[in-house]
Amino acid sequence: MEQKHIRIGYFDNLKGEGSILISADIDGLLELEDTFLKLSQGLTAFNFSKLKLLDKSHKIKLVAIIDMENIGLIPTIKGTFEWKVRPEKWGEYREKLTALYRNSNSGHQYLDSNSIDNKDLQVIFSFNEYPLSF
């Protein structure tokens, strides 16, 4: 089993809609859990390319941004995906990751923004479910 990784990919039709899939092992999950905690506690933005365990072969430009509304994940003109939600929502995402490793050795969670407009892309976090190639 490959160790210490986070992989991020965009898929046009994963589980029925445009999606970002974030796949990780336990070390990657813990790094993301810490990042989500920091975003919930005052960090205003985070570029996912700064993740220490990010597999560089998956070149997705993803930036987390604290916003006043839960807008969700949206593509930008610059070819970057921006994930804009309130600090409380980052805390909810962290709790979902924590529940995954406390309750099982694998699984996934939908990190939904609950956007009123529902124009955002879906984000799926997967723990120990996908191989290197997704």
Side-chain angles (χ1 to χ4, degrees):
M1 181 86 179
E2 302 156 60
Q3 294 298 310
K4 299 186 178 185
H5 68 270
I6 299 169
R7 297 184 184 108
I8 302 174
Y10 172 75
F11 299 89
D12 283 327
N13 190 17
L14 180 67
K15 307 241 182 209
E17 62 183 282
S19 305
I20 290 279
L21 174 64
I22 303 172
S23 177
D25 67 354
I26 186 63
D27 296 298
L29 184 153
L30 293 172
E31 184 179 3
L32 286 165
E33 182 185 40
D34 183 60
T35 300
F36 292 173
L37 177 63
K38 289 175 183 170
L39 286 161
S40 74
Q41 294 180 337
L43 183 66
T44 58
F46 181 79
N47 185 329
F48 279 65
S49 68
K50 305 290 184 201
L51 290 167
K52 292 176 184 147
L53 299 178
L54 181 65
D55 184 333
K56 303 298 184 206
S57 65
H58 300 277
K59 299 186 187 326
I60 297 293
K61 295 177 183 174
L62 177 61
V63 178
I65 300 170
I66 296 297
D67 201 272
M68 298 301 288
E69 296 181 41
N70 290 322
I71 295 170
L73 180 74
I74 54 172
T76 67
I77 298 171
K78 304 172 216 160
T80 299
F81 292 93
E82 293 182 346
W83 197 0
K84 298 179 176 184
V85 295
R86 298 174 50 86
E88 299 82 16
K89 187 58 75 176
W90 290 113
E92 287 177 28
Y93 295 162
R94 185 194 65 77
E95 290 171 7
K96 287 184 174 196
L97 297 188
T98 302
L100 269 177
Y101 74 81
R102 285 190 178 166
N103 297 327
S104 69
N105 292 325
S106 66
H108 61 274
Q109 286 282 356
Y110 292 90
L111 305 180
D112 193 359
S113 68
N114 298 319
S115 168
I116 294 171
D117 295 334
N118 198 27
K119 294 181 181 177
D120 60 322
L121 299 170
Q122 144 175 280
V123 180
I124 304 169
F125 175 81
S126 173
F127 174 45
N128 287 336
E129 287 185 313
Y130 291 92
L132 175 63
S133 63
F134 281 117

